[in-house]
Amino acid sequence: MIRADAAIETQALTRHFRARQRAREVRALDGVDLVVHAGECFGLLGPNGAGKSTLIKILTTLLLPTSGRASVAGYDVAAEPLAVRRRINLVSGGDSSGYGILTVRETLHLFSQFYGVPRGEARRRADELLGVTGLAEKADTRLSNLSTGMRQKLNFARGFMSDPEIVFLDEPTLGLDVEASRDVRAFIARWVRERPGRTVLLTTHYMVEADELCGRVAIIDHGRILALDTPSALKRAVPAEPVFEIQLSATGDDLDPLREIRGVRSVSHHAHPATGATELRVVVDEDDRIGEVLARLKALRRSVLHLTKMEPTLETVFIHHVGRGLADEEAVDAGSA
Ligand SMILES: Nc1ncnc2c1ncn2[C@@H]1O[C@H](COP(=O)(O)OP(=O)(O)O)[C@@H](O)[C@H]1O
Ligand SMILES: [Mg+2]
């Protein structure tokens, strides 16, 4: 059943890939049921390999599902791909394709012509998008002379030239600097509000982005939706297990023994990119356990540089459901599996 106000709907959606060297199948999507209403800015939050891009590719008709079904703007993605394509657009962050000999403005004009946007309207939109992305002064620069970051901004601008009903943004601020990311987020928020029924489905690695921008967020891992709600409801629903962040000296013994401490729910760590210090995150069942953690760290010859107790954020929610943080290179799970 397709609901009248559903911009996007999936039912038991799966997509399998056969890994080339191995016989084992990868379940990129494993039974996804999702309804995104018209007018929503909806976020998909998940670690690398969670299945976010696979879902976006199916919804934008670039990939067929293995089983289950999906509809966008009321049209089935497999049976009516052209009707879907007329109503959507897609921006993949990190993508910087384009024709090197064209200028920035010519590129936007070309895309507006693909979609049959009237000239005056196309110029107005191009000017607005050039302003938002900070590309205005590069309007007459050829793509071959743009930096990768600028090409990405152009790619973002291109996604809005056709005035789509539904926009899919796969990591839209990936690789953009802080200021450009902020402008892009502000643009997305304004774009959705500007006209009723405009819908955004975005994927992101950045918790703040999902929190700030999205009315509802789905946490996805291993092709399954683990939680779905408004950011504040997700935060409220996390059992109040204390999370501590501890900054450690880089050198010392292995941190594995921390897992064996009673009451320690999960331990994950990564190296701080600038300082090289170890950033350790420990979830415990009650505050008192942290004393034992500190004692064990001392025994492991690690010095504690800093200790903080974290207030629940979307990151806490994420760790609770996924068992590790998004930034962690190396995750050690204790007890939650
Ligand atoms: N074309 C493909 N062939 C084989 N495996 C793939 C292909 N595309 C994605 N996968 C696998 O499917 C899983 C989900 O990938 P993806 O949807 O790109 O995740 P995300 O965008 O969340 O990082 C990963 O394990 C990935 O390796
Ligand atoms: Mg991806």
Side-chain angles (χ1 to χ4, degrees):
M1 245 272 297
I2 292 167
R3 284 168 230 193
D5 70 335
I8 299 164
E9 183 163 9
T10 74
Q11 285 166 355
L13 194 67
T14 70
R15 171 71 207 205
H16 298 174
F17 289 110
R18 192 165 287 285
R20 218 160 262 156
Q21 266 102 8
R22 283 165 292 161
R24 211 171 64 85
E25 259 188 347
V26 178
R27 290 183 183 187
L29 293 179
D30 190 12
V32 170
D33 295 297
L34 180 67
V35 176
V36 176
H37 307 290
E40 273 195 287
C41 183
F42 191 96
L44 280 175
L45 193 60
N48 256 329
K52 304 180 297 295
S53 295
T54 301
L55 180 54
I56 285 212
K57 281 179 193 154
I58 290 174
L59 295 173
T60 55
T61 77
L62 299 176
L63 193 69
L64 284 169
T66 302
S67 66
R69 49 179 300 284
S71 64
V72 170
Y75 298 94
D76 188 281
V77 292
E80 301 158 291
L82 293 177
V84 170
R85 278 179 216 166
R86 266 197 292 278
R87 289 161 177 86
I88 64 166
N89 217 327
L90 163 67
V91 176
S92 297
D95 177 11
S96 57
S97 58
Y99 304 102
I101 58 161
L102 295 184
T103 68
V104 166
R105 193 181 286 283
E106 285 165 350
T107 300
L108 292 182
H109 180 72
L110 179 70
F111 273 85
S112 72
Q113 295 313 292
F114 286 166
Y115 291 100
V117 181
R119 251 161 213 284
E121 178 61 17
R123 201 171 310 118
R124 196 194 61 74
R125 271 185 220 159
D127 283 339
E128 184 191 3
L129 287 162
L130 289 174
V132 164
T133 51
L135 280 173
E137 59 208 64
K138 301 283 176 187
D140 300 315
T141 305
R142 289 186 179 187
L143 265 57
S144 54
N145 293 329
L146 289 182
S147 67
T148 311
M150 283 174 182
R151 278 190 171 215
Q152 267 181 53
K153 290 185 198 171
L154 176 60
N155 184 44
F156 176 83
R158 222 170 64 181
F160 290 88
M161 280 303 289
S162 63
D163 193 25
E165 279 172 43
I166 303 169
V167 172
F168 295 88
L169 304 171
D170 197 2
E171 317 248 7
T173 58
L174 189 74
L176 294 184
D177 59 46
V178 174
E179 208 178 324
S181 299
R182 205 175 44 215
D183 290 347
V184 159
R185 284 202 290 271
F187 175 81
I188 296 168
R190 188 152 47 86
W191 186 85
V192 174
R193 277 198 311 263
E194 220 167 52
R195 204 181 301 160
R198 279 181 173 175
T199 309
V200 170
L201 177 67
L202 70 86
T203 77
T204 183
H205 260 77
Y206 306 118
M207 305 284 171
V208 180
E209 191 158 293
D211 208 346
E212 218 179 81
L213 206 50
C214 300
R216 291 192 305 152
V217 172
I219 292 175
I220 178 170
D221 195 23
H222 300 301
R224 285 188 220 160
I225 291 178
L226 304 179
L228 191 164
D229 216 322
T230 62
S232 56
L234 285 171
K235 287 177 215 169
R236 277 197 307 274
V238 175
E241 283 189 331
V243 179
F244 288 90
E245 265 197 353
I246 306 170
Q247 215 181 52
L248 296 175
S249 60
T251 52
D253 290 340
D254 198 280
L255 294 168
D256 273 0
L258 295 178
R259 297 192 298 170
E260 290 146 22
I261 301 170
R262 234 177 62 139
V264 169
R265 294 272 189 246
S266 85
V267 176
S268 61
H269 54 92
H270 64 272
H272 188 280
T275 63
T278 302
E279 310 234 302
L280 173 66
R281 198 185 290 109
V282 183
V283 183
V284 288
D285 61 355
E286 46 189 292
D287 281 352
D288 287 357
R289 306 286 189 192
I290 204 67
E292 178 63 24
V293 171
L294 293 174
R296 194 70 66 95
L297 283 169
K298 196 167 179 199
L300 293 169
R301 298 194 305 271
R302 295 286 200 132
S303 21
V304 172
L305 308 173
H306 196 74
L307 169 71
T308 334
K309 185 175 174 190
M310 290 166 74
E311 291 307 316
T313 62
L314 218 43
E315 175 110 33
T316 325
V317 177
F318 186 87
I319 293 165
H320 173 76
H321 289 287
V322 177
R324 61 189 190 278
L326 264 184
D328 300 327
E329 295 153 21
E330 196 182 343
V332 187
D333 242 308
S336 70

